[in-house]
Amino acid sequence: MTKAAVRAHTNIALIKYWGKADETLFLPMNSSLSLTLDGLYTDTFVEISDTFTEDQFYLNDVLQSPEETAKISRFLDLFRNKAGITHFIQVKSINHVPTAAGLASSASAFAALAGAMNRATGLNMDLETLSTYARRGSGSATRSLFGGFVEWQKGTSSEDSMAVPVDDASWDIGMVIIAVNKSAKKISSRIGMKQTVETSPFYPAWVASAEEDLLAIKKAIKARDFEKVGQITEHSAMKMHGSMLGAETPIIYFEPDSIKAIHAVRALREQGILCYVTMDAGPNVKVLCRLSEAGKIKEMLREYFSEEQLLISGPGQGIRPLTAQEAAE
Ligand code: ADP
Ligand code: DP6
Ligand code: CO
């Protein structure tokens, strides 16, 4: 097969990945755990042909710059080398998620591209092995190959730093996403985490507590203890942002409306509705909640945010090929 089209969903980390031990291989300082989301995804089409004279990368129908294309080419090389292919490749990707806004576009992007290349080259690696390839595009992409709750085990080498499914999340859990600001952030995740690792005195404490939180949340997921899962999730996100505030110069992804959202969620909790916030490298806030209560929570958040800013998402599936009809649309 020289053509393939694959859909991957984004994932939101409950225990965050923040910091690399190896920047070339994308080995993380700590293991992480996420929930794959149904509502936000990327569709990626690849074509390998000996008629192409260069790699081409289109994002949302726009031909990308030589710099953006070079990043993609380096990622494609991992597959070309493994498959013994030298041909150029055309990549066309459509984000059904805001790009670079802290809603994990890099996760669905590289999971979809890895999935499409796995098929187009005929390598057909299993998903755990493929996750070690997705990781080299963006760390968070490691986890998007699988649905539900997924752990990215930091491992000891490039071969075993991989994703492992933890639980299919087929219970009452989901998220309300508060899109505070959908525009691209000024500091990418990559730069933000590097600056934190290199300059924040709080960083070692972040790594130590992430490992503890991971063990605790896996136990809570297994017990389907929603309250515990939520408490650990909110605490992990705040600790990650705390480590950023200690960086020189401090990294602040919060915007005034992010703080407003955090307080709104606290107010909901005071009214007895169990829901918890998490935030990534961007101003947008995700509210972990019972999926059965998401509609009610969204309505209550309408006091502060517009309809367009609020999106409900349930747990999502892992990567899958697009059907011929979907690919044609
Ligand atoms: P996010 O919070 O959206 O994950 P990041 O800073 O981690 O933000 O990553 C954003 C970068 O990911 C973009 O600048 C682009 O280089 C890359 N990216 C996003 N979407 C795609 C896509 N569909 N295909 C390839 N690369 C993508
Ligand atoms: C805060 O995976 O986007 O969303 O590996 O440099 O591409 P790179 O960074 P990326 O970082 C994600 C950081 C995070 C937390 C998480 O998703 O675990
Ligand atoms: Co990202």
Side-chain angles (χ1 to χ4, degrees):
M1 198 191 297
T2 56
K3 258 187 180 183
V6 166
R7 174 170 298 177
H9 293 267
T10 59
N11 71 79
I12 297 299
L14 309 186
I15 305 301
K16 307 291 184 188
Y17 143 60
W18 194 248
K20 293 180 182 68
D22 185 317
E23 286 172 21
T24 316
L25 294 175
F26 289 72
L27 299 178
M29 287 286 210
N30 63 275
S31 299
S32 53
L33 184 143
S34 58
L35 180 63
T36 300
L37 291 187
D38 190 34
L40 300 168
Y41 57 91
T42 298
D43 288 340
T44 296
F45 305 75
V46 300
E47 188 171 350
I48 307 174
S49 167
D50 57 6
T51 64
F52 296 148
T53 54
E54 57 182 4
D55 288 337
Q56 280 191 334
F57 169 39
Y58 290 84
L59 177 55
N60 297 336
D61 295 323
V62 178
L63 183 64
Q64 298 294 294
S65 68
E67 292 75 33
E68 280 294 320
T69 308
K71 273 203 306 201
I72 297 295
S73 291
R74 280 195 296 276
F75 183 73
L76 297 175
D77 284 342
L78 301 172
F79 292 85
R80 278 191 280 239
N81 293 340
K82 172 92 173 160
I85 292 171
T86 54
H87 298 151
F88 290 110
I89 298 170
Q90 188 182 68
V91 175
K92 290 186 172 173
S93 189
I94 306 286
N95 278 343
H96 297 270
V97 50
T99 303
L103 288 166
S105 70
S106 67
S108 51
F110 285 96
L113 185 53
M117 285 302 293
N118 195 36
R119 291 177 72 81
T121 55
L123 282 167
N124 296 323
M125 292 179 267
D126 63 80
L127 291 180
E128 288 184 0
T129 308
L130 187 60
S131 77
T132 68
Y133 282 72
R135 193 193 75 228
R136 307 277 299 270
S138 180
S140 53
T142 314
R143 301 181 306 241
S144 265
L145 295 224
F146 295 103
F149 293 103
V150 184
E151 180 183 355
W152 171 14
Q153 300 180 339
K154 68 175 178 173
T156 55
S157 69
S158 192
E159 285 68 46
D160 70 355
S161 183
M162 59 170 57
V164 178
V166 165
D167 178 290
D168 64 6
S170 60
W171 43 292
D172 191 9
I173 196 156
M175 284 190 186
V176 179
I177 292 149
I178 308 175
V180 162
N181 185 345
K182 292 181 194 164
S183 45
K185 54 190 141 187
K186 294 195 187 84
I187 304 176
S188 69
S189 309
R190 198 155 301 172
I191 301 294
M193 67 176 79
K194 185 172 157 61
Q195 200 170 310
T196 309
V197 174
E198 288 172 356
T199 67
S200 176
F202 305 151
Y203 189 70
W206 156 257
V207 176
S209 87
E211 297 297 347
E212 286 167 21
D213 285 346
L214 181 68
L215 291 175
I217 206 167
K218 282 203 287 187
K219 226 170 117 188
I221 289 169
K222 207 163 170 207
R224 299 193 173 185
D225 183 342
F226 173 73
E227 190 171 0
K228 192 96 198 152
V229 171
Q231 284 168 347
I232 298 168
T233 295
E234 185 166 309
H235 194 198
S236 174
M238 293 304 143
K239 284 185 278 193
M240 177 184 75
H241 285 276
S243 77
M244 295 184 205
L245 290 176
E248 205 181 326
T249 48
I251 300 163
I252 306 175
Y253 286 114
F254 292 73
E255 290 184 8
D257 277 354
S258 317
I259 306 282
K260 195 161 89 180
I262 292 169
H263 285 291
V265 167
R266 291 200 158 185
L268 288 177
R269 275 212 299 271
E270 277 158 21
Q271 293 171 42
I273 299 166
L274 289 184
C275 54
Y276 302 86
V277 297
T278 185
M279 282 180 68
D280 293 283
N284 300 312
V285 175
K286 299 99 189 179
V287 184
L288 187 72
C289 63
R290 293 287 195 188
L291 191 55
S292 61
E293 292 188 322
K296 181 172 69 181
I297 291 169
K298 183 180 160 186
E299 276 320 301
M300 292 172 106
L301 289 170
R302 284 282 287 109
E303 186 180 336
Y304 311 99
F305 300 100
S306 68
E307 182 66 29
E308 298 70 50
Q309 287 181 292
L310 300 167
L311 173 77
I312 294 174
S313 179
Q317 303 288 312
I319 59 167
R320 67 162 175 87
L322 290 178
T323 63
Q325 194 189 342
E326 285 169 334
E329 276 165 11

